[in-house]
Amino acid sequence: METETDLWTESQSDEDSDMEDGLSTSDESCATDWYHHPQLDTDIEAVRTLYTDSVVSITEYGSIDEVDIDLNMSAEFLGHEVAKAWRINPSESIVIRLHFSLSQYLDGPAPSVEVFQPSNTDDFSLGKQLQNILTIFLSREWKHLTNENIMVRRKSRQSWFRPSGTIKKFRARFSIWLPPSKLNNLQEPTVGGRVIIPPMKPNRFTNHTKSYTIKNPTGELFTYTPSGKRVMVSAVKSSAQLSTKQLIELLFSSQAIGHCKTTPTLQHGFLAQIMRYAEQRLPTLNEYCVVCDERHVFQNGPMLKPAVCSRELCVFSFYTLGVMSGATEEVATGAEVADLLVAMCRAALQSSRKSIIFEPYPSVVDPQNPKILAFSPKKKSYDRLQKALDSVLLIRRMAQGPYSEIKKQMDQIDPLAHPLLQWILASNRSHIVKLPLNRQLKFMQTPHQFLLISSPPSKEARFQTAKKLYGSTFAFHGSHIENWHSILRNGLVNASCTKLQLHGAAYGKGIYLSPISGISFGYSEMGKGRHEMPPKGELLKKYNQLHKIQQEKSVQARFLQNTNLNCIALCEVITSKELQKHGNIWVCPISDHVCTRFLFVYENGQVGDVEIDTQEAKIHREIIQVIASKPC
């Protein structure tokens, strides 16, 4: 006979079982009474058709009218070093989770959005920026969306295409200026849908009515223009082989004439639209402020890491309110890298050219009065900046122990010292990491070797596209220590005939490089108080003295005990016809064709081996091996 207790236990067990069945996924055969809106099923199937089945997953809540749609976006295209700088696990998808009404879908309440990586929840601060971007996008687009609206648009789009997937023939009248020879200029930036061609005397003008058949873009091949726009090009083997048909594809491609903030088409439904918008924004997150989502105003070119911009409202929101601060949490910077950044800042600030090369100038909130900026580009005070930096230098030279203790000592000496140090570390847009001994280039003769990656995904993609067309090689770039504060934040730029030019442009405009280390070492010594290349004999003497200095003392000094540092970078450069070679002095007029790979630092005024030639087979082979070796 069952007792009352037995009956209660059995009933409670049934309730627990019902609760466990409340959550169900699409892969399980759990029945639900909730109605599936057919437009939701259609949009899910469209994403699977465009990508793969694994790109989208569904979690249904059997007891409530809700569903989670997970869009899994690949991050492999970023590359290992960029992914590391952005705190992304490139082998794992970025999950965009959208929370909808199962039965109402687009007619229901606006969905919430989460962005995360399952195994990277603590460090994936970049997800905060992308989540904020998608939340704003959803709030803007949702008011224009209904299930009926999507169905009407889809039918309208389908009327353009044949069953084979090609667009029906159309007649269009258009005008195109063609350059005298090859169509390389098609990769110039676009404005208002028009390709901008550099000033030239046109030798031909076409104005014809033609019929074209354009393939439905489902498996597009993309490339990038110098301005960072992703454009579709069908099987382009070289930049000079664009057919008229491919030209039309470029002109009519929304990616070619649009902006990364442009709303993608609804051709494949709302879920595909969200996926494509996220794909557009991800490679360019570094170009936009994490607070206001507007382009950075202080940069000459897009750099690697996402950051807050220098607009005062954003600086206050970031530092005093903590708005989006998690999106730019600095990767734990090694002590040697931190000291190198401080030393470069010191050199720029002490330069007679500081008004030109100390760029960007800090934007730092006063910790004692959070309503004002202690340092502002609008009201520069180099003397006060130098005083705060002196305090940083003093503590960095003397202090030992945990970071919290160092911060405490800085605050006691100067309340602006620690905020300035934070800015120096956070404003560095490059990914700079000390190379372990097993990854160092032995021929460079210095223990201070760093991986230096400053190219954002869009520039690296353009570089790799050009590399496939023309090939690449390696060359050195030397610059005085006072210039590196700006280089690490603005990148290597064509400074010829600008206020940044220091040494003249005897061989034309462009970035100056050399396959011979001695020439670049010479440029690294040309700076304050010196505007002539040191003779080779003097460089050889300094190289010979290098071995007399105790390496242990050099490592312990970590750049702050002396003011005589030499830096040269090893760059990869595209070997196109634009690369002008004047003996061992090379000039590359296209900034996108030069990417930094390594940085080498020498203390006490010393230099390394001045006879290194990157064009020697064994040298080139060692560089390739180190680049291809296991990441740091």
Side-chain angles (χ1 to χ4, degrees):
M1 177 181 294
E2 292 181 329
T3 66
E4 184 179 348
T5 302
D6 293 333
L7 290 172
W8 183 88
T9 303
E10 182 178 345
S11 174
Q12 184 68 26
S13 177
D14 291 340
E15 290 180 9
D16 292 343
S17 178
D18 290 340
M19 290 180 65
E20 290 175 0
D21 291 340
L23 295 178
S24 63
T25 65
S26 59
D27 297 329
E28 298 173 353
S29 58
C30 295
T32 178
D33 294 332
W34 289 105
Y35 168 73
H36 284 229
H37 198 285
Q39 187 60 47
L40 174 60
D41 293 337
T42 300
D43 285 1
I44 290 172
E45 187 58 34
V47 174
R48 286 174 170 164
T49 302
L50 284 171
Y51 298 92
T52 63
D53 288 349
S54 62
V55 165
V56 60
S57 57
I58 309 100
T59 302
E60 298 179 16
Y61 298 83
S63 60
I64 55 177
D65 180 25
E66 295 178 0
V67 61
D68 282 343
I69 308 296
D70 286 357
L71 302 175
N72 303 301
M73 181 171 58
S74 173
E76 292 182 349
F77 73 94
L78 289 175
H80 175 81
E81 299 302 344
V82 172
K84 184 176 179 181
W86 287 16
R87 291 184 173 184
I88 292 178
N89 181 357
S91 62
E92 184 177 55
S93 295
I94 297 173
V95 180
I96 302 169
R97 176 167 292 171
L98 302 163
H99 190 73
F100 290 102
S101 164
L102 181 62
S103 63
Q104 298 180 74
Y105 188 33
L106 302 180
D107 291 331
S112 61
V113 59
E114 297 177 69
V115 180
F116 60 92
Q117 281 193 306
S119 66
N120 192 23
T121 54
D122 294 333
D123 292 332
F124 189 48
S125 54
L126 199 71
K128 297 180 177 66
Q129 183 181 1
L130 190 56
Q131 180 173 315
N132 185 54
I133 287 170
L134 292 179
T135 299
I136 295 173
F137 180 78
L138 283 167
S139 66
R140 187 181 74 224
E141 296 297 317
W142 190 256
K143 56 188 176 183
H144 305 299
L145 295 171
T146 63
N147 291 309
E148 182 181 0
N149 176 276
I150 297 298
M151 294 175 66
V152 170
R153 293 194 190 187
R154 185 184 297 278
K155 290 180 180 179
S156 175
R157 298 279 306 182
Q158 287 174 346
S159 66
W160 287 39
F161 296 92
R162 300 190 185 91
S164 62
T166 57
I167 297 179
K168 294 178 181 179
K169 286 188 177 182
F170 65 91
R171 298 178 68 81
R173 189 174 183 85
F174 61 95
S175 301
I176 307 171
W177 286 100
L178 293 180
S181 55
K182 297 182 180 180
L183 301 180
N184 292 339
N185 290 314
L186 287 176
Q187 294 184 340
E188 291 297 317
T190 59
V191 175
R194 296 183 298 106
V195 178
I196 299 176
I197 305 297
M200 61 180 68
K201 292 182 179 180
N203 68 333
R204 184 167 48 156
F205 181 77
T206 63
N207 191 4
H208 302 292
T209 301
K210 296 288 184 182
S211 296
Y212 295 97
T213 300
I214 302 179
K215 189 72 176 177
N216 185 17
T218 56
E220 307 101 327
L221 171 64
F222 287 100
T223 188
Y224 289 81
T225 67
S227 60
K229 308 295 190 303
R230 190 175 73 158
V231 298
M232 180 184 68
V233 182
S234 300
V236 178
K237 295 181 180 179
S238 82
S239 58
Q241 294 178 341
L242 281 173
S243 66
T244 305
K245 176 174 176 288
Q246 291 160 349
L247 171 61
I248 300 302
E249 288 179 323
L250 283 171
L251 292 176
F252 280 86
S253 167
S254 62
Q255 295 291 342
I257 63 177
H259 189 275
C260 74
K261 287 188 176 183
T262 301
T263 303
T265 176
L266 271 168
Q267 174 187 350
H268 302 290
F270 180 61
L271 296 180
Q273 184 186 49
I274 286 288
M275 186 74 167
R276 287 188 162 175
Y277 185 70
E279 288 177 328
Q280 287 176 200
R281 294 304 310 271
L282 179 62
T284 61
L285 291 180
N286 57 293
E287 299 178 26
Y288 294 84
C289 172
V290 297
V291 176
C292 67
D293 197 32
E294 295 295 332
R295 282 191 180 274
H296 288 293
V297 294
F298 61 80
Q299 292 175 229
N300 291 324
M303 292 303 290
L304 187 62
K305 296 179 183 178
V308 64
C309 71
S310 59
R311 298 174 180 91
E312 289 189 6
L313 285 177
C314 294
V315 173
F316 282 116
S317 297
F318 185 82
Y319 287 103
T320 63
L321 302 179
V323 177
M324 293 301 294
S325 58
T328 59
E329 292 174 355
E330 184 66 17
V331 178
T333 304
E336 190 168 349
V337 173
D339 288 348
L340 177 60
L341 294 173
V342 171
M344 290 173 171
C345 179
R346 174 185 61 188
L349 190 56
Q350 293 178 346
S351 171
S352 60
R353 302 169 59 239
K354 58 178 173 285
S355 61
I356 298 174
I357 63 174
F358 197 89
E359 184 66 29
Y361 187 91
S363 294
V364 175
V365 175
D366 190 339
Q368 296 180 331
N369 185 0
K371 295 183 179 180
I372 65 173
L373 290 178
F375 296 122
S376 171
K378 294 182 179 179
K379 191 177 180 180
K380 298 179 180 180
S381 174
Y382 294 108
D383 291 339
R384 183 64 184 95
L385 196 60
Q386 183 66 63
K387 180 182 177 182
L389 186 61
D390 288 342
S391 300
V392 173
L393 291 166
L394 176 63
I395 299 301
R396 293 294 295 180
R397 289 189 187 117
M398 297 174 54
Q400 301 292 327
Y403 182 79
S404 59
E405 183 62 27
I406 294 176
K407 178 184 181 303
K408 183 179 179 180
Q409 293 184 44
M410 285 187 182
D411 291 341
Q412 290 175 347
I413 295 178
D414 189 334
L416 297 185
H418 182 256
L420 177 59
L421 176 60
Q422 283 185 307
W423 179 86
I424 291 172
L425 300 181
S427 64
N428 169 35
R429 300 290 185 268
S430 300
H431 182 48
I432 177 168
V433 181
K434 177 67 181 292
L435 287 172
L437 290 176
N438 63 344
R439 280 198 74 194
Q440 291 193 358
L441 293 166
K442 297 179 178 58
F443 58 79
M444 291 309 298
Q445 300 289 326
T446 176
H448 304 306
Q449 300 191 20
F450 303 87
L451 178 74
L452 176 58
I453 304 297
S454 59
S455 300
S458 56
K459 178 179 177 179
E460 189 66 35
R462 296 193 297 271
F463 184 89
Q464 294 300 329
T465 299
K467 182 177 177 179
K468 291 177 181 178
L469 295 174
Y470 307 111
S472 69
T473 188
F474 297 94
F476 295 103
H477 175 83
S479 189
H480 192 267
I481 182 65
E482 68 182 27
N483 298 317
W484 283 97
H485 172 81
S486 175
I487 291 174
L488 292 183
R489 290 158 178 80
N490 298 304
L492 288 176
V493 296
N494 183 344
S496 301
C497 301
T498 71
K499 62 181 182 180
L500 296 174
Q501 181 178 329
L502 177 62
H503 306 306
Y507 296 98
K509 299 179 182 179
I511 297 172
Y512 277 62
L513 306 150
S514 177
I516 306 300
S517 60
I519 294 177
S520 293
F521 276 124
Y523 277 99
S524 74
E525 296 210 312
M526 293 168 66
K528 182 172 62 175
R530 184 167 195 166
H531 301 280
E532 296 181 357
M533 180 80 74
K536 184 177 179 180
E538 182 178 334
L539 291 174
L540 281 170
K541 181 179 179 181
K542 289 192 173 187
Y543 167 64
N544 293 330
Q545 290 175 346
L546 180 65
H547 302 286
K548 298 180 182 180
I549 299 175
Q550 296 180 358
Q551 181 173 315
E552 294 78 9
K553 180 179 179 181
S554 177
V555 173
Q556 184 180 7
R558 281 203 318 241
F559 317 127
L560 299 182
Q561 300 297 331
N562 68 81
T563 59
N564 196 1
L565 301 178
N566 286 322
C567 301
I568 66 169
L570 182 60
C571 306
E572 188 172 2
V573 57
I574 299 299
T575 52
S576 66
K577 67 176 185 179
E578 283 81 9
L579 180 62
Q580 304 160 21
K581 297 182 179 181
H582 306 276
N584 288 324
I585 296 180
W586 298 356
V587 183
C588 184
I590 304 175
S591 297
D592 276 356
H593 282 193
V594 180
C595 286
T596 56
R597 300 304 184 202
F598 300 98
L599 178 69
F600 310 99
V601 184
Y602 298 81
E603 291 190 288
N604 303 308
Q606 305 306 308
V607 296
D609 188 347
V610 297
E611 303 288 350
I612 299 168
D613 185 350
T614 60
Q615 303 308 291
E616 290 184 12
K618 64 177 182 179
I619 298 294
H620 190 274
R621 186 164 52 249
E622 184 175 345
I623 296 172
I624 295 295
Q625 288 174 349
V626 170
I627 290 177
S629 63
K630 217 168 193 181
C632 302

